[in-house]
Amino acid sequence: MSRKPIIAGNWKMNKTAAEAREFIDAVKNSIPSNELVDTVVGSPALFLEGMKKGVKDTELQVAAQNCYWEDFGAFTGETSPAALEALGVDYVIIGHSERRDYFHETDEEINKKAHAIFKHNMTPILCCGESLETYEAGKTAEWIEGQITADLKGLSAEQVSNLVIAYEPIWAIGTGKSADANIADEICGVVRATVEKLYGKEVAEAVRIQYGGSVKPENVAEYMAKENVDGALVGGASLQADSFLALLDFVK
Ligand code: PGA
């Protein structure tokens, strides 16, 4: 089965509204057809309304970087998945290692978010990944299997077929130290094997798996050439318009 590639930028807590607008104006007419690749920008929640207006009638899609699992209520400072749906947001990144580490998010919470995002007709980009300690102890595969099993709990086969999972080794994020393409392929393969164990072969063949961690225009094609890597989740190299566009050159 051929899976459509998906390249997603993750701006993290960067840019002002004016800078977000400038970026969209600079890239929007140069994005390849979404018959070839899904191209997504993950923006701070503050700019999502403007971003959705800015990408109207273009091939760009928009992701939030987080949301809560309840629709509305007394949850000061949280972002409602119902409100994201109303804006027309396409994807929501969940379980990023920065959320897990700095904000102590648990697999149980990430699982609730995944259910809420599907309920609101958006697609989760679910991140998983191991620490340097786990990697060096040779325990990456069991760690990843544990995260994925907990994060997908109760999701249907149809939901998981449509899901995007990002494998991001924590030791490769923002460090300039990317996991080489063979490691990325191997661990994305572990993610796929875990999905197969839980949901069967057809779902495992359908789910799209990204690699993330110091992906740049210079190395993206190497990752994309690998069997189990269907895309990239990109932080630093997604911030500048020219670099973001260059990440998409592999489809040409
Ligand atoms: P990076 O970040 O590309 O800057 O390493 C990736 C991510 O955290 O999603």
Side-chain angles (χ1 to χ4, degrees), residues 134 137-149 190 194:
T134 302
K139 297 204 162 121
T140 298
E142 66 188 87
W143 176 263
I144 295 294
E145 187 172 336
Q147 279 189 328
I148 295 294
T149 304
V190 169
T194 305

Side-chain angles (χ1 to χ4, degrees), residues 10 12 96 98 168 172-175 212-215 233-237:
N10 173 14
K12 310 191 179 184
H96 192 281
E98 288 150 18
E168 300 204 309
I173 295 177
T175 57
S214 299
V215 175
L233 182 58
V234 186

